Amino acid sequence: MRTLRKLKNLLTPALFRGKHDYFPRTLELHNGRKTKPLFSSEEMNRRLNRIRTYMEKNGLDACVFTSYYNIYYFSEFLYCSMGRQYAMVITDEKALTITPSVDYGFPWRRGICDNISYTNWRKDNFYYALQQQLQSANTVGVEFPDMGASLHSFSEALPQSKFVDVADAAMEIRRVKSPEEIDIVRQGSRIAELGAYAGIKTLHEGVPEYEVVIASNSTMMREVAATFPQIDIRDTWSWLQSGINTDGAHNFPTSRRIQKGDILSLNCFPMIAGNYAALERTLFFDHVPSDRHMELWEINNKVHRRGLELVKPGMRCGDVARDLNEIYLENDILQYRVIGYGHSTGVLSHYYGRDWGLEFLEHVDTILEPGMIITMEPMIVVPEGKPGAGGYREHDTLIITETGTENTTSSFPIGPEQMIVKN
């Protein structure tokens, strides 16, 4: 009996493997037809040509992108991770995405390039798929900031390859926008204004923050869908912060109810596929509760207006920040500044895409040039218990032109004369 049990234990794994050997490690799941892309084939080829030119100049056999933003930028497929791994492989001859089979044909339909799906019957199938595509690649560009511990697994899967960081190079390619990208930002700004008006219309005493957000979101999502019926409708969001909740620029809505005299921060972000637009304004509900609140609001608006004047081609990002600091210093409130004065836009969301080389911060030496798009958004926070307590922030989106800027959200009201809401 003991001998039979031992024999059973030895045979069971082998029998199990035999039953499941038919499960492939990768699949070609070209289901249906390619969808209409957001960008033209000329635009997408321009992007691929730019990274391939960089690869040729720097002796790279391939690039493997793993971040949301670079996979989307070069393929027009924006993934939903759910803890799984994604990649885009670019060589001088091919471009394809590597995605989990749970997505089935969606990545192929949505992307402008080819696609290979990997199954999860074995835990290393993602790396197996990479191996199949990169067998002869000696030097491979990857995104070090995005990879973390997975770089070790990449090295084990591709022992013949040397890995170099191309994150900054890809970021610089994304930084200067094409005419098609600029048009998307203009549309996004228009839709953001619609969302902001819908949110303001919903403001009443006693209404919770989340109800304002629902009104804003639904308005923007419907308009995104009507304007771009061929894209995924995803990631559009709003924030309405009130009272103490205005202290964080990225605080999500709560059940706090609006009260008369509340300081408010309304933030609208319509997402056109993976492309970001934004509009943010400080408001007060019914009245401004103190002279100090009004004074701080007006100072922050002065900083905002000065920022709009400064931004132009040839200006250094750090110089903009230092100039704006002076206004806060003159009014003895620089200590309340908590963020930079603006950041890049484009392929960006609250969970991916920040261009750390294009921000209005003192240490950033990037010089503005036509085609860049950057925000102007000064913010100060006065802690609870101090006169004028609350967070004050304005936000406009600026396209750098040959002669100056185009403010895509300039038509939306701003400041004490127009943003005291009396619904």
Side-chain angles (χ1 to χ4, degrees):
M1 184 64 70
R2 186 176 299 173
T3 302
L4 286 173
R5 273 200 300 269
K6 286 183 178 179
L7 184 60
K8 181 181 179 182
N9 291 337
L10 288 169
L11 288 174
T12 297
L15 289 170
F16 181 85
R17 285 196 301 272
K19 286 175 63 178
H20 292 77
D21 274 346
Y22 68 89
F23 284 123
R25 303 188 72 176
T26 60
L27 297 165
E28 189 178 90
L29 299 175
H30 294 181
N31 191 37
R33 297 180 179 179
K34 288 277 193 181
T35 57
K36 181 183 176 182
L38 179 62
F39 294 103
S40 68
S41 58
E42 291 80 10
E43 166 64 13
M44 298 308 296
N45 285 333
R46 180 192 70 84
R47 300 179 183 187
L48 289 171
N49 288 339
R50 289 201 66 190
I51 192 63
R52 282 172 171 148
T53 298
Y54 176 85
M55 290 162 58
E56 183 179 3
K57 287 182 179 178
N58 291 273
L60 302 181
D61 300 308
C63 278
V64 179
F65 292 109
T66 50
S67 65
Y68 288 100
Y69 41 95
N70 280 324
I71 291 179
Y72 175 78
Y73 184 79
F74 291 111
S75 77
E76 217 177 287
F77 167 64
L78 184 61
Y79 64 81
C80 176
S81 173
M82 292 289 286
R84 294 179 172 90
Q85 292 174 286
Y86 290 75
M88 181 177 186
V89 174
I90 300 175
T91 69
D92 59 349
E93 296 178 345
K94 65 184 175 185
L96 82 160
T97 51
I98 298 175
T99 60
S101 58
V102 68
D103 291 345
Y104 211 80
F106 194 76
W108 176 78
R109 289 199 303 277
R110 285 297 185 188
I112 55 95
C113 59
D114 203 355
N115 170 261
I116 293 291
S117 297
Y118 68 91
T119 64
N120 64 353
W121 318 129
R122 291 177 58 171
K123 66 178 182 180
D124 60 347
N125 280 352
F126 171 73
Y127 295 103
Y128 173 81
L130 281 174
Q131 288 172 335
Q132 300 307 108
Q133 301 301 323
L134 298 168
Q135 293 180 25
S136 60
N138 294 317
T139 306
V140 179
V142 295
E143 302 172 76
F144 283 0
D146 184 71
M147 299 185 75
S150 68
L151 181 58
H152 177 72
S153 298
F154 269 68
S155 300
E156 288 186 336
L158 301 165
Q160 83 284 2
S161 299
K162 172 188 174 183
F163 296 99
V164 296
D165 186 21
V166 295
D168 285 354
M171 183 174 65
E172 290 175 9
I173 289 172
R174 300 195 314 272
R175 185 173 295 162
V176 177
K177 308 299 189 286
S178 69
E180 289 188 33
E181 290 177 281
I182 289 172
D183 284 343
I184 293 296
V185 170
R186 291 190 182 111
Q187 288 281 12
S189 297
R190 175 185 67 83
I191 295 169
E193 292 192 8
L194 295 177
Y197 281 121
I200 290 172
K201 186 177 179 180
T202 310
L203 281 171
H204 294 281
E205 186 177 12
V207 69
E209 292 174 354
Y210 68 82
E211 287 290 350
V212 178
V213 166
I214 290 171
S216 176
N217 280 352
S218 58
T219 296
M220 292 191 294
M221 290 174 68
R222 291 188 181 106
E223 187 62 22
V224 169
T227 308
F228 303 97
Q230 75 274 32
I231 67 168
D232 308 352
I233 308 302
R234 59 174 288 179
D235 291 343
T236 288
W237 85 100
S238 303
W239 290 318
L240 187 280
Q241 300 138 356
S242 65
I244 193 171
N245 294 337
T246 60
D247 66 346
H250 300 158
N251 293 347
F252 276 75
T254 71
S255 298
R256 185 186 185 277
R257 295 180 180 273
I258 308 304
Q259 305 167 29
K260 289 183 178 180
D262 268 349
I263 184 172
L264 308 172
S265 184
L266 179 60
N267 313 264
C268 299
F269 308 94
M271 294 297 294
I272 301 171
N275 299 276
Y276 173 95
L279 172 65
E280 303 173 16
R281 291 291 188 264
T282 296
L283 310 89
F284 280 83
F285 184 68
D286 188 71
H287 65 277
V288 180
S290 73
D291 290 343
R292 182 58 171 166
H293 281 94
M294 181 65 77
E295 180 186 17
L296 291 166
W297 194 10
E298 289 177 333
I299 293 169
N300 206 52
N301 272 270
K302 182 179 180 180
V303 173
H304 185 72
R305 290 191 298 271
R306 175 59 178 161
L308 298 179
E309 294 172 357
L310 287 171
V311 178
K312 56 191 174 189
M315 196 70 178
R316 193 180 302 274
C317 288
D319 291 342
V320 173
R322 283 183 281 271
D323 188 295
L324 297 180
N325 283 344
E326 293 301 317
I327 300 176
Y328 286 144
L329 276 170
E330 290 167 5
N331 292 277
D332 194 27
I333 59 171
L334 183 60
Q335 67 273 23
Y336 296 139
R337 175 192 162 201
V338 293
I339 61 174
Y341 290 104
H343 58 78
S344 69
T345 70
V347 181
L348 175 73
S349 185
H350 56 80
Y351 61 98
Y352 63 79
R354 192 82 175 216
D355 179 348
W356 52 86
L358 187 57
E359 300 199 9
F360 290 132
L361 289 166
E362 290 80 350
H363 64 271
V364 177
D365 292 327
T366 302
I367 295 175
L368 299 177
E369 60 182 270
M372 292 179 176
I373 305 180
I374 193 165
T375 66
M376 175 51 59
E377 51 177 309
M379 180 179 183
I380 53 173
V381 178
V382 178
E384 196 76 356
K386 290 185 176 292
Y392 302 75
R393 183 171 75 261
E394 314 296 344
H395 177 298
D396 282 314
T397 300
L398 307 176
I399 301 168
I400 311 300
T401 66
E402 295 290 340
T403 57
T405 62
E406 173 190 340
N407 184 346
T408 62
T409 44
S410 62
S411 63
F412 197 84
I414 187 171
E417 293 183 1
Q418 303 176 84
M419 288 285 96
I420 300 173
V421 180
K422 293 179 177 287
N423 290 347

